[in-house]
Amino acid sequence: MTEQGSQQEKPNSLEDIKGKMANISSEKRWAMSCYIPVVNLFTCVLTSVKMVNSKLCRFHARQGLIVFAVWAVATLIGVIVPTLSLMLLGIFIVLCVAGMVIAYGGKETPMPVLGQLATKIPEYYVFKF
């Protein structure tokens, strides 16, 4: 087989990613952005403003705020006890990945403990301007 034939069979990975992202609905993209590590506070606020009519986005914005709180606590604890901070940061990464997978599926599955805390965030003050 020629080199040109083998290049045509092997898809470009960047083009694959672009194609897959184009197929994801805007609502799911906004919901997934609520779990991007470190910047999720910004993306949660932006999501709640841009997608105020989407129940899925509001749900994931709330959970994203709680996941951000876990990251902030882990960072503060890291000053005092570095080993415990590493464990909490590991949990934070797992929560971010799990949240993105749930948002990609278009589901509103609450996380075990954090989901209950997220439901206590008053929707009126956070999402209505």
Side-chain angles (χ1 to χ4, degrees):
M1 203 181 271
T2 64
E3 284 184 36
Q4 193 176 35
S6 65
Q7 287 178 352
Q8 289 176 354
E9 291 174 8
K10 184 179 178 184
N12 185 353
S13 62
L14 183 59
E15 294 300 320
D16 278 348
I17 293 171
K18 286 181 181 179
K20 288 178 183 177
M21 286 303 290
N23 292 335
I24 300 174
S25 71
S26 175
E27 186 178 53
K28 287 182 184 178
R29 274 189 254 164
W30 280 104
M32 288 172 62
S33 73
C34 293
Y35 298 102
I36 297 173
V38 182
V39 296
N40 57 347
L41 177 65
F42 174 73
T43 57
C44 286
V45 171
L46 190 61
T47 299
S48 64
V49 171
K50 294 285 279 186
M51 302 296 285
V52 71
N53 295 327
S54 169
K55 184 179 176 187
L56 178 74
C57 289
R58 287 193 318 256
F59 175 81
H60 287 288
R62 282 182 179 175
Q63 282 200 157
L65 289 172
I66 299 299
V67 171
F68 176 79
V70 169
W71 174 77
V73 168
T75 304
L76 291 174
I77 290 175
V79 174
I80 301 166
V81 185
T83 307
L84 184 59
S85 173
L86 288 175
M87 291 188 309
L88 287 174
L89 287 175
I91 292 171
F92 169 72
I93 297 297
V94 169
L95 289 174
C96 286
V97 171
M100 284 183 187
V101 169
I102 291 169
Y104 179 75
K107 299 176 184 174
E108 294 181 18
T109 306
M111 293 180 183
V113 174
L114 304 180
Q116 294 171 354
L117 292 174
T119 58
K120 294 181 181 181
I121 296 175
E123 184 174 326
Y124 180 77
Y125 295 111
V126 177
F127 302 109
K128 307 283 184 189
F129 292 101

